Amino acid sequence: MFFLKSLKFKLLFSYLLVILFSFSLATFFLNKRLEANSLHELKNSLTSQALLIESRLSSVNLSQANAAGLETLVKELTPRIKARITIIDMAGNVLAESERPFSDTLKMENHAQRPEVKEALNGVTGENIRYSSTLKMKMLYLAIPIKLANAITGVVRLAMPLDSVERMLFGVRKIIYLNMFFASILVFVLGFIFTSGIVNPLNKIIYLSRKFSVGDFNHRIYHPAKDEIGELADTLNKMAQSLEEKISEVKLKSQQLEAVFQSMIEGIIVVDKQSRIISMNPSIKSIFDIRSDSSFGKPVIEIIRNNELAEIVKSVLNSGQAVSRELTLLWPVEKVFQVNAAPVIEKGTCSACLLVIHDISEIRKLENMRRDFVANVSHELKTPLTSIKGFVETLLEGALEDKENSRNFLKIVQDHANRLDNLISDLLKLSYLESKGALLKKQDVDLSKLTKEVLVGFTSQIRNKNIEVENSLPEALIAQADADKIEQVLINLIDNAIKFNKERGLVKVYSQDMGDKIKIIVEDSGVGILPRDISRIFERFYRVDKARSRSLGGTGLGLSIVKHIIELHAGNTGVESTEGLGSAFWFTLPK
Amino acid sequence: MKNSKKIIIVEDDPDINNLIAYNLRKASFNVEQVFDGLSAEQKLSNEYFDIVILDIMLPGIDGFDICRNLKENPFNGRNFIIMISAKSSQKDQLYAHILGADAYLTKPFSVAALMDIVKEVNQMQSQDFVVTHK
């Protein structure tokens, strides 16, 4: 059925139709005109022949009596006249007949009622075409009156078979039909070739356009002819080219965006109008510890169970206005986030909401630490100052006379002045280390030698507390470090190990080879540290036992300084401790 | 003359605590010393003190909490509360006031100033505190 609807069929069919129609029209009119012309010729020739015969007969006696004479005349004329001659008298009786023997002539029926004879008897030329029962064929009859001095004396009738006309017409028709047949074949063949020339490239164009429509731009339409189809092919090729370029451009852009999306530290979620998750980046998964990929299509509240976040999404989707808010989450993670929610406007309406979630817990933590540090510093400075000021005031107000206490008061003032001194010097050290301006003067440092020197400095404290010191560092233990700073580390650690040790306690200094690093451990047999304090022990001003630390002259900054120095050396610090048995502080240094 | 007012010093720094105690005792006050928040709470819920000298940064329970508890559940009458703290911000002072502290001295404070307040309070009846210091 498709073939009947195809362009090829339509074109071929219309060509054939044109051929058939024009040939039929030609045949029809040619036939008519030829027939009319032949008849006219025939009539003219018969008329002139009839007039010739009439002129011979005008003076002859036309009666049955003279039939024999007329018969002779007719027989005489017949070879010259190529028609059947009949001579009829006024009564309609046949007097002579060229095609019949004389004996039959007079027995023939009366011809007065024959149309052509009837007219001739009335004085005009009569003619008629009819089937002759005598000759058994279609005949043209022509009759003219025979006149003698304007009086009709009889009729001469000529008859001629029409088969010659019919034959001629048949011949003509045969030629026309034959021509039509060949023309049709020619039209069919040429039409087929021509329509193929149109339809085949069109089919190719359709085939390739289908490929274009599904994004396959690997092919181009080849049609070099400079016709309309060629132009169409060119246009389609150009369109495919520009589409391909546009698509690759868009693809590149979306790849770039995707890369940004994937690698951003901020968590990104896109939700649709129903608050369902359309997409999210890896950061958001790690922030909220989302493991499955099945979160897509689920409402955001199911994945991040936080009402405030859900409300932000709702308000953005409803109002189309961007929202920026700080959010403190306790579940699923305890963190502070800066949430920026922006609407995605599509055709004037808000179709989605983009959430950018920035984890600012660390920033907040640092801010809090800084604030705490400032508060701590001020507290740590003000406390000794209060004592100094208070005792000096008290002494001046009369306590100087109080011999029992005045000396003790001055001692307290001295202690606190020293404490302030220590504190300020530790603060300066810390500030210097933190300023990053602290350039390390790295060199080969013999840790064994350095430790021995440090221990010498603690001789009196060791003796006072009857501490046993066990330095088992191997000779020439070389590390890449800043000697002055590592000396500070050793001083702080050994100082702690002695201060927080018990009477007759043990301080052990030893090392471990960690491959590319050296681990130095300073172990004491002191009070130890509770697990809850271990994680905070390196914080500034963090003291397990405030009163004890202060009474021992600690500033609360010693371990913090240790940690900073070791971090500058790209090493690590740590502590292992069992409460009541002692602690082991360690640090690592590159070899 | 023997001063009848009972004073408690809640201060974790022993030197400052002793300093205040020394000066108050010299002025013949009845002085009690505690060095941490928990002991202060216990003491204050069992005994009445006319004046409470209270540090804020204390181990255990902090000075703000002690102040609040004391104002909400006073033991046998209102106490006059003097806060002494290294916290010097307006915010902290306002907070202490809202909680019901009657005076606020920032460290390093002057012993004379503290003694002036104590002596002034000593002249008054307990119920007058509100009138004078509000």
Side-chain angles (χ1 to χ4, degrees):
Chain A
M1 273 302 103
F2 174 75
F3 179 73
L4 293 180
K5 283 181 183 171
S6 76
L7 190 58
K8 213 176 213 170
F9 173 77
K10 282 175 185 165
L11 283 170
L12 280 178
F13 186 71
S14 68
Y15 295 159
L16 279 175
L17 214 62
V18 165
I19 292 288
L20 283 174
F21 182 71
S22 52
F23 268 88
S24 307
L25 216 61
T27 316
F28 178 72
F29 285 109
L30 207 59
N31 206 23
K32 253 195 145 75
R33 177 51 64 91
L34 278 176
E35 195 176 6
N37 271 5
S38 326
L39 264 178
H40 189 70
E41 290 283 308
L42 210 58
K43 275 178 199 164
N44 279 351
S45 127
L46 279 180
T47 308
S48 49
Q49 287 180 64
L51 284 171
L52 205 70
I53 296 166
E54 191 258 332
S55 69
R56 292 277 302 273
L57 288 174
S58 57
S59 55
V60 178
N61 178 17
L62 297 175
S63 66
Q64 286 185 335
N66 194 22
L70 288 169
E71 177 71 23
T72 316
L73 185 69
V74 166
K75 289 284 179 331
E76 180 197 322
L77 285 168
T78 303
R80 278 184 284 161
I81 309 290
K82 282 172 183 147
R84 174 183 162 202
I85 306 163
T86 312
I87 294 170
I88 303 154
D89 70 3
M90 288 299 283
N93 298 314
V94 176
L95 300 178
E97 164 70 67
S98 60
E99 304 287 309
R100 296 277 186 99
F102 179 67
S103 51
D104 287 355
T105 312
L106 294 175
K107 290 172 199 163
M108 284 172 73
E109 62 180 303
N110 190 297
H111 276 39
Q113 289 311 306
R114 304 279 163 94
E116 71 278 3
V117 178
K118 215 173 172 180
E119 272 178 67
L121 284 174
N122 286 329
V124 291
T125 307
E127 53 180 72
N128 190 238
I129 296 168
R130 68 169 175 276
Y131 190 77
S132 161
S133 52
T134 321
L135 293 171
K136 299 198 168 33
M137 60 174 71
K138 222 171 170 189
M139 301 289 284
L140 170 67
Y141 295 96
L142 189 123
I144 60 164
I146 303 166
K147 289 175 182 171
L148 183 70
N150 282 335
I152 299 164
T153 55
V155 170
V156 57
R157 189 188 76 168
L158 293 183
M160 211 170 165
L162 275 175
D163 65 336
S164 66
V165 174
E166 295 278 322
R167 256 202 312 278
M168 185 265 289
L169 284 177
F170 180 75
V172 168
R173 277 193 208 112
K174 212 164 89 183
I175 290 165
I176 289 175
Y177 289 143
L178 214 61
N179 274 343
M180 192 167 83
F181 177 71
F182 284 117
S184 296
I185 287 174
L186 195 67
V187 153
F188 194 81
V189 172
L190 283 179
F192 192 84
I193 292 166
F194 177 66
T195 52
S196 295
I198 296 172
V199 173
N200 289 354
L202 277 178
N203 281 337
K204 211 166 140 195
I205 288 174
I206 290 167
Y207 172 74
L208 285 174
S209 332
R210 284 212 184 105
K211 289 207 155 195
F212 292 164
S213 75
V214 296
D216 178 1
F217 297 106
N218 291 325
H219 308 278
R220 289 288 179 270
I221 302 159
Y222 179 72
H223 189 88
K226 290 281 162 224
D227 54 8
E228 284 87 343
I229 294 172
E231 215 167 291
L232 176 65
D234 272 357
T235 313
L236 277 173
N237 282 341
K238 275 179 199 150
M239 191 185 82
Q241 177 80 29
S242 77
L243 264 178
E244 193 179 9
E245 281 166 14
K246 288 249 163 61
I247 286 172
S248 73
E249 201 178 306
V250 168
K251 245 183 210 164
L252 185 72
K253 263 191 193 143
S254 95
Q255 274 167 0
Q256 286 169 344
L257 273 178
E258 183 65 18
V260 171
F261 186 70
Q262 293 294 330
S263 59
M264 261 175 90
I265 297 160
E266 285 84 0
I268 299 173
I269 315 175
V270 186
V271 299
D272 66 8
K273 196 109 182 82
Q274 280 75 45
S275 295
R276 286 170 201 284
I277 293 173
I278 299 169
S279 69
M280 51 187 180
N281 68 347
S283 290
I284 202 90
K285 290 184 184 173
S286 65
I287 289 172
F288 293 106
D289 200 18
I290 302 164
R291 292 210 185 83
S292 65
D293 282 328
S294 61
S295 0
F296 296 102
K298 283 186 186 164
V300 71
I301 188 89
E302 272 184 31
I303 304 304
I304 303 159
R305 291 190 185 276
N306 182 277
N307 280 329
E308 239 178 303
L309 193 77
E311 260 165 44
I312 290 172
V313 171
K314 215 165 147 190
S315 106
V316 169
L317 286 174
N318 287 341
S319 69
Q321 301 285 317
V323 173
S324 180
R325 201 178 297 167
E326 201 174 303
L327 215 67
T328 308
L329 256 65
L330 296 174
W331 197 93
V333 278
E334 194 176 339
K335 272 177 176 171
V336 186
F337 296 107
Q338 176 69 39
V339 178
N340 289 302
V344 178
I345 306 287
E346 211 175 303
K347 287 171 193 158
T349 56
C350 178
S351 65
C353 172
L354 175 75
L355 285 164
V356 180
I357 296 175
H358 188 190
D359 184 353
I360 52 167
S361 313
E362 277 304 309
I363 296 168
R364 284 283 171 277
K365 205 172 136 193
L366 282 176
E367 278 174 8
N368 286 339
M369 272 171 70
R370 194 161 297 270
R371 202 180 308 129
D372 287 353
F373 179 66
V374 172
N376 278 330
V377 168
S378 111
H379 185 257
E380 294 294 324
L381 288 171
K382 280 174 178 175
T383 305
L385 209 56
T386 308
S387 291
I388 293 168
K389 192 177 166 181
F391 280 108
V392 170
E393 205 182 328
T394 306
L395 284 165
L396 289 175
E397 286 298 313
L400 264 177
E401 317 308 324
D402 181 356
K403 293 287 174 218
E404 196 186 324
N405 288 307
S406 61
R407 201 178 164 73
N408 185 31
F409 286 176
L410 283 169
K411 184 83 179 58
I412 291 170
V413 169
Q414 191 190 31
D415 280 353
H416 283 287
N418 286 338
R419 200 175 132 197
L420 266 182
D421 184 20
N422 287 339
L423 188 64
I424 288 164
S425 111
D426 272 3
L427 277 174
L428 287 175
K429 275 180 209 156
L430 206 57
S431 147
Y432 179 65
L433 291 170
E434 273 191 344
S435 70
K436 306 279 174 198
L439 286 174
L440 293 178
K441 282 172 273 171
K442 273 197 177 181
Q443 57 193 51
D444 283 358
V445 177
D446 185 346
L447 292 171
S448 179
K449 199 174 144 212
L450 197 63
T451 307
K452 275 176 198 158
E453 284 168 12
V454 170
L455 282 170
V456 169
F458 284 101
T459 310
S460 61
Q461 283 100 314
I462 290 167
R463 197 188 303 126
N464 288 345
K465 235 176 164 180
N466 284 315
I467 302 276
E468 188 192 332
V469 177
E470 196 182 299
N471 179 7
S472 50
L473 293 181
E475 289 295 320
L477 187 61
I478 306 294
Q480 289 301 310
D482 183 322
D484 290 346
K485 294 198 169 64
I486 296 305
E487 185 180 7
Q488 182 70 59
V489 168
L490 287 167
I491 288 171
N492 288 6
L493 289 181
I494 291 169
D495 186 32
N496 277 351
I498 295 167
K499 268 197 287 194
F500 297 99
N501 219 320
K502 57 187 184 212
E503 286 278 329
R504 300 180 185 282
L506 177 69
V507 172
K508 282 204 290 194
V509 185
Y510 56 98
S511 69
Q512 275 174 16
D513 197 327
M514 308 282 288
D516 59 342
K517 282 185 174 169
I518 299 167
K519 185 175 183 179
I520 304 286
I521 301 113
V522 179
E523 197 179 308
D524 64 58
S525 56
V527 289
I529 307 156
L530 284 172
R532 67 180 157 91
D533 293 317
I534 280 181
S535 60
R536 302 191 62 189
I537 197 94
F538 287 97
E539 280 178 27
R540 290 171 296 197
F541 295 121
Y542 188 82
R543 278 171 290 211
V544 175
D545 186 337
K546 208 169 165 184
R548 186 180 166 133
S549 160
R550 198 172 293 160
S551 69
L552 295 168
T555 59
L557 294 173
L559 287 175
S560 187
I561 290 168
V562 166
K563 192 171 186 230
H564 262 92
I565 291 173
I566 298 302
E567 274 173 5
L568 280 177
H569 284 84
N572 289 313
T573 47
V575 59
E576 274 113 47
S577 179
T578 313
E579 205 200 352
L581 292 176
S583 314
F585 284 87
W586 56 262
F587 63 90
T588 59
L589 282 176
K591 273 182 184 170
Chain B
M1 107 194 152
K2 173 81 181 170
N3 278 316
S4 57
K5 297 278 195 261
K6 271 175 77 181
I7 302 175
I8 185 168
I9 306 167
V10 187
E11 164 65 66
D12 63 327
D13 187 287
D15 293 330
I16 296 172
N17 200 323
N18 291 333
L19 170 74
I20 299 167
Y22 176 85
N23 281 289
L24 289 174
R25 287 201 179 105
K26 227 169 75 174
S28 309
F29 284 101
N30 186 355
V31 179
E32 194 79 53
Q33 283 177 277
V34 285
F35 298 88
D36 65 283
L38 210 64
S39 317
E41 282 272 270
Q42 278 173 358
K43 205 109 200 156
L44 284 162
S45 59
N46 291 318
E47 207 174 321
Y48 176 76
F49 292 93
D50 299 280
I51 299 171
V52 181
I53 296 174
L54 190 58
D55 185 19
I56 292 172
M57 287 154 96
L58 289 167
I61 306 162
D62 81 8
F64 287 132
D65 286 339
I66 294 170
C67 179
R68 185 195 297 113
N69 293 343
L70 206 53
K71 287 292 166 184
E72 281 169 7
N73 308 299
F75 179 83
N76 199 22
R78 260 186 114 275
N79 321 76
F80 190 92
I81 300 173
I82 304 169
M83 299 287 248
I84 46 165
S85 176
K87 285 176 176 279
S88 57
S89 73
Q90 289 274 323
K91 198 184 85 185
D92 290 317
Q93 297 197 31
L94 188 67
Y95 187 49
H97 184 73
I98 289 165
L99 291 181
D102 299 282
Y104 196 105
L105 290 174
T106 56
K107 288 180 184 173
F109 58 91
S110 150
V111 176
L114 177 66
M115 292 308 291
D116 283 347
I117 295 171
V118 173
K119 280 171 187 160
E120 199 185 325
V121 176
N122 191 36
Q123 304 300 314
M124 301 185 300
Q125 296 297 314
S126 297
Q127 53 266 46
D128 293 337
F129 298 163
V130 186
V131 181
T132 334
H133 287 273
K134 278 242 166 139

